[in-house]
Amino acid sequence: MDMWLVLYWTGPIGVGIFLVCLGGMVYLISKADEVGKRTKAFVKEKGLEKK
């Protein structure tokens, strides 16, 4: 029963795993946003060069 409280999601290990996953998700979203901005700028630049 003691290990259940440690391994349950509100325990220290569960909260740690949650925070690691949350941080990873925020990192990946910011990385995708940066790639999207660079892609839009590249397309806009290419469009201006063709004119």
Side-chain angles (χ1 to χ4, degrees):
M1 187 65 179
D2 291 335
M3 288 305 289
W4 172 253
L5 293 174
V6 172
L7 296 175
Y8 194 61
W9 77 271
T10 56
I13 295 174
V15 171
I17 292 172
F18 171 75
L19 290 175
V20 166
C21 291
L22 184 65
M25 190 173 64
V26 169
Y27 171 75
L28 290 175
I29 289 172
S30 66
K31 187 91 170 159
D33 187 42
E34 180 183 339
V35 169
K37 285 181 182 178
R38 288 185 185 199
T39 304
K40 286 180 184 177
F42 180 75
V43 168
K44 187 176 181 181
E45 183 180 325
K46 280 289 195 183
L48 291 175
E49 287 179 0
K50 288 182 181 178
K51 289 182 181 177

